[in-house]
Amino acid sequence: MRVRLGCRTWLVALLAIVLTSLTALPAAAKYAGTNGQIAFTHYDDTGSHVFIANPDGGNPTQLPAEDADGAVWSPNGSQILLTICCPGAPPRPAIINADGTGFHLLSVPGLPADVAVACRAWSPDASQLLCQFMADTDHSRDGIYTIAASDGALLKRLTVNPYPPTGNFGGGDIPGDYSPDGSQFVFMRAKPGAGPVPDRNQRGALFVENVDGTGLHQITPYGLANSHDNATESWSPNGNEILFAGVHGPFAGAGLYVVHTDGTGLRAIPLQIGSRSFAFTPRWSPDGSKIIFSLFTTKGPGTGDEGIATANADGSGLSQVTSGGGYDFADWGTHPPIG
């Protein structure tokens, strides 16, 4: 499956993933607030690098966190959640202050050495993180868990993956976001596909569940939501809708969708991105008036340009923030812009 659990290289080795493009974790739960800076990851030949910038891409600042995936603002805009690839070890979550200080890696006590951990969202009170666990061999451990944001202590297992990877291909439960009141969360459940490349053929559906592990219910059919490209879902600040990306095929444009939390009201967001482009890893702005997402424009088989874009919540006002390839994992926080 295309979902990156922190480090591209480590997951390629772990899951034998075949990547078809450079693409995008985690949507972050936020209090409704003023739109501030954005955070994103940029990949180049030297690795992955985390930046914060103004919403138009101005005044970018690189944070001292290398080999990192994901960039998820804390609810109050003071910290950023990352997933770090440690040399010779699976990915682990880390937190850094917005000013670049206070970097610390979270270590889940008692975690087997072969389990990768990627955390994708803060609880609204910033005390907990919503995480995906994926083991190298014993997939009975796979699922969604919560850990303490302070020290990584394991708090609760929320899901048991009913579709373990087929020979380490495809399948899994991928955390998305908390509801604004912290009572529920949304996640992607992927079914492995058939054939010689089951990760390519997997299909995903969105589910909502209470944070105590009860009340599981499916809100989209399998095959509509994009379960690749680091599938993410973002809960609107007003609590009414969930934002997600649709599936895409070679040179087939795919856009973004919203659905009510009970599965009704499904509708596409009419982005003007063209038939040779697709949008993925979307998130709401803190005030809910805009969205931010990764945008990939194909140039031909195996080639294209990837960047960060923003738009109004209704799809109008598309604006390219970054371009040139290798930009991913954008999130919009409340930390005040510079200048």
Side-chain angles (χ1 to χ4, degrees):
M1 60 196 298
R2 280 279 304 284
V3 177
R4 287 196 299 266
L5 274 176
C7 301
R8 296 186 180 199
T9 304
W10 188 88
L11 271 190
V12 168
L14 172 62
L15 302 178
I17 300 171
V18 179
L19 296 177
T20 57
S21 70
L22 290 175
T23 57
L25 193 266
K30 305 180 184 69
Y31 297 110
T34 303
N35 296 343
Q37 286 189 308
I38 63 173
F40 56 86
T41 306
H42 181 227
Y43 305 92
D44 59 26
D45 292 340
T46 65
S48 57
H49 317 283
V50 179
F51 290 81
I52 59 175
N54 290 342
D56 62 359
N59 294 308
T61 300
Q62 184 175 349
L63 299 182
E66 299 301 306
D67 295 323
D69 277 348
V72 185
W73 285 102
S74 64
N76 66 5
S78 66
Q79 295 179 304
I80 295 173
L81 170 66
L82 304 169
T83 301
I84 302 295
C85 186
C86 308
R92 292 288 183 263
I95 293 173
I96 190 170
N97 294 331
D99 63 3
T101 64
F103 176 88
H104 62 285
L105 197 68
L106 298 180
S107 178
V108 181
L111 188 72
D114 70 333
V115 176
V117 180
C119 299
R120 298 196 168 208
W122 302 77
S123 62
D125 65 1
S127 68
Q128 300 180 19
L129 304 175
L130 191 66
C131 308
Q132 179 184 9
F133 285 24
M134 180 175 283
D136 188 3
T137 54
D138 181 5
H139 295 294
S140 66
R141 305 187 187 103
D142 293 1
I144 297 174
Y145 297 72
T146 55
I147 66 172
S150 59
D151 59 8
L154 182 62
L155 300 177
K156 187 177 181 62
R157 182 173 190 169
L158 296 174
T159 74
V160 177
N161 173 20
Y163 304 112
T166 304
N168 283 340
F169 285 98
D173 287 352
I174 307 156
D177 201 3
Y178 282 96
S179 62
D181 66 3
S183 66
Q184 296 179 297
F185 68 99
V186 60
F187 70 96
M188 169 78 68
R189 175 161 285 172
K191 289 182 179 180
V197 282
D199 62 318
R200 292 279 189 89
N201 299 323
Q202 75 177 23
R203 296 180 302 145
L206 301 188
F207 289 77
V208 168
E209 183 173 304
N210 297 328
V211 293
D212 63 2
T214 65
L216 177 69
H217 62 282
Q218 184 175 341
I219 62 170
T220 70
Y222 277 97
L224 173 63
N226 184 358
S227 63
H228 299 276
D229 306 309
N230 290 280
T232 59
E233 307 81 49
S234 182
W235 210 302
S236 64
N238 65 13
N240 295 335
E241 294 182 308
I242 292 170
L243 172 68
F244 66 97
V247 297
H248 63 82
F251 309 110
L256 307 179
Y257 294 82
V258 290
V259 63
H260 292 158
T261 59
D262 62 359
T264 64
L266 176 69
R267 60 182 174 85
I269 296 176
L271 293 171
Q272 300 300 311
I273 59 176
S275 62
R276 297 175 68 87
S277 300
F278 61 87
F280 55 100
T281 61
R283 287 87 181 258
W284 298 93
S285 67
D287 70 359
S289 68
K290 293 181 175 292
I291 55 177
I292 189 168
F293 49 93
S294 298
L295 183 63
F296 187 86
T297 301
T298 57
K299 307 294 185 181
T303 64
D305 180 63
E306 182 178 275
I308 304 301
T310 63
N312 295 324
D314 63 2
S316 65
L318 180 70
S319 178
Q320 191 82 31
V321 177
T322 66
S323 62
Y327 289 95
D328 209 343
F329 286 115
D331 190 33
W332 206 325
T334 59
H335 192 275
I338 298 174

